[in-house]
Amino acid sequence: ITLLFLASPAFAATKWVSPTGAAVWANCGGETPLSGTAACSLSTANSNAAAGDVVNLRDGIYTTMICPSNSGISGNIITFQKYSTETPVIGNTSPWYTNRQAGLMINGKSYIKIDGIKFDVSLFTQPGENNSILINQSAHHIEIPNCTVNGAPSNTKMQTYQSTHLWIHHNLFTDLGQIYQCDDSVTGLQLGAPAYADVDEYHTVENNTFAYGGHHNIETFTYRNVIRNNYFHNEGWIANPGGCTYTPDANNKYGNRNIQICGLTIKNTFNLVEGNRFGHSGPPPDDDGGDGFTLTGPKNIIRYNAIFNSQNNGILMKIGSPDHYPNNNRVYNNTIYKSGVYQNTPQWQGLNLRWYISSGVYGTGNVIKNNIFYKKCCSPAIFHE
């Protein structure tokens, strides 16, 4: 048995994939780079890549999403990566469901790494709710580093649910979300979903840039996560469709908030959010949002962040629904400044820190200390209770 386990990594291989690949799986391996028809197709790689395999994507635009059929194992993962300095682009992929496209889909698989790939949402053509990235159905131990996800304002978001142990780091996520008839409900990255909150946890999101993410750059419905050392900004960037209740930014475009941490009060969320920069945020077309940081879940630690140039409030602690409210959080050693940078119509509240306190169990037990608040933009108050 020992010899069998020691020998198993020998079956791992380096494989080569190109947009015009036509080779069978057995013929597209080796240390010598292959390209064109001598390489495999991405579809072939999806079907055959196994534990220990490294799949190198050559330069060009692919019309097949990355969707591995197999899992790796701990210490012997499956890797899909760009080759050298080339730029493989996942573009106008075939629909995986009626009117829906995706760039990366991992369903119920584990120990997989996606490294250095560009997912170009602007090339998608389907009108449905698309996913640049979709990780679900009990997927776990997925690493996504050094990738770029970009697009035009479109009905596309990154979505994870029913998954655990994701490590998302050193990526650029930009230009996701849209406005349709003055509604901007599409989110850049959504970790988890309320219906699957009990099986979605232990994610680490660090050292990324999130820019122009629609309703939020990131929204969480997950537990025991670490979100650290990222840069978020979501100022006005989506064209004004006209006729909206709330007026746009000074450049005649809309944005929204940077982050919202949600969580059911019946289960503690235990997120650590530290060392991030949240700024700027922009005005949405349908409400008076545009906060730098919105907190609607219990028992989180928010520390050592810079939150600045928020259209509305720097930090807003609010009731998200009857069972989503911010109790027993720790908010300390943050720097929050220049909130309420734009006074559009209707009037913005624009406070550095604002929280809703109601009778009973809403918004209790929070500790807010050792923060720096300064250069409030547009009204004399710093706090509102």
Side-chain angles (χ1 to χ4, degrees), residues 64-361:
T64 300
M65 65 182 174
I66 298 176
C67 185
S69 297
N70 302 310
S71 294
I73 59 176
S74 179
N76 215 19
I77 65 174
I78 299 173
T79 301
F80 287 74
Q81 65 180 20
K82 74 172 184 178
Y83 171 62
S84 186
T85 59
E86 296 184 0
T87 306
V89 177
I90 308 298
N92 187 27
T93 59
S94 300
W96 63 273
Y97 190 70
T98 304
N99 292 333
R100 293 190 179 188
Q101 293 173 277
L104 168 64
M105 182 180 293
I106 300 179
N107 290 327
K109 304 300 184 272
S110 57
Y111 295 103
I112 295 169
K113 182 178 181 179
I114 310 296
D115 189 354
I117 310 299
K118 182 176 181 179
F119 299 92
D120 194 341
V121 174
S122 70
L123 300 177
F124 285 9
T125 59
Q126 295 298 311
E129 184 177 295
N130 297 308
N131 295 97
S132 53
I133 293 174
L134 178 60
I135 301 174
N136 64 355
Q137 296 182 7
S138 301
H140 62 90
H141 290 91
I142 308 299
E143 181 183 358
I144 303 177
N146 307 311
C147 292
T148 298
V149 180
N150 77 285
S154 60
N155 191 16
T156 303
K157 65 181 178 181
M158 298 175 284
Q159 172 75 63
T160 76
Y161 62 94
Q162 292 181 288
S163 60
T164 65
H165 297 90
L166 307 183
W167 184 19
I168 301 172
H169 63 97
H170 294 93
N171 302 285
L172 171 62
F173 303 114
T174 183
D175 291 20
L176 299 169
Q178 69 172 172
I179 290 177
Y180 178 71
Q181 295 180 348
C182 297
D183 174 72
D184 67 337
S185 58
V186 180
T187 297
L189 171 60
Q190 182 173 314
L191 291 175
Y196 303 103
D198 288 341
V199 290
D200 209 314
E201 55 194 354
Y202 296 116
H203 304 319
T204 299
V205 180
E206 59 184 349
N207 298 300
N208 304 283
T209 295
F210 293 86
Y212 312 130
H215 199 63
H216 333 264
N217 269 313
I218 182 172
E219 182 177 35
T220 71
F221 293 95
T222 55
Y223 304 95
R224 290 177 281 268
N225 304 299
V226 175
I227 301 173
R228 65 185 170 202
N229 300 334
N230 303 284
Y231 176 37
F232 299 83
H233 61 100
N234 199 13
E235 66 271 21
W237 68 284
I238 303 177
N240 179 8
C244 301
T245 301
Y246 288 78
T247 57
D249 211 335
N251 62 1
N252 197 36
K253 295 183 178 181
Y254 286 102
N256 210 320
R257 66 168 66 92
N258 277 303
I259 186 171
Q260 178 161 264
I261 302 293
C262 297
L264 298 172
T265 302
I266 59 174
K267 182 175 181 180
N268 299 319
T269 47
F270 292 124
N271 293 297
L272 172 63
V273 185
E274 66 175 0
N276 302 281
R277 290 184 295 154
F278 299 98
H280 315 268
S281 64
D286 51 356
D287 60 32
D288 62 346
D291 304 305
F293 193 118
T294 303
L295 181 60
T296 68
K299 291 192 175 180
N300 300 281
I301 296 175
I302 315 299
R303 66 183 184 186
Y304 304 115
N305 301 284
I307 304 171
F308 56 93
N309 287 357
S310 301
Q311 287 288 113
N312 197 8
N313 305 294
I315 294 181
L316 174 65
M317 302 174 70
K318 73 169 188 177
I319 301 166
S321 69
D323 54 1
H324 290 247
Y325 38 88
N327 287 6
N328 301 304
N329 293 284
R330 301 295 181 262
V331 180
Y332 62 90
N333 291 91
N334 301 283
T335 301
I336 306 166
Y337 63 97
K338 295 191 79 170
S339 304
V341 297
Y342 182 62
Q343 295 288 290
N344 72 341
T345 304
Q347 184 70 38
W348 295 72
Q349 302 146 17
L351 306 174
N352 279 322
L353 173 64
R354 186 173 192 267
W355 69 95
Y356 297 125
I357 300 296
S358 183
S359 60
V361 297

Side-chain angles (χ1 to χ4, degrees), residues 29-43:
E31 296 304 316
T32 301
L34 301 175
S35 61
T37 56
C40 286
S41 68
L42 182 52
S43 178

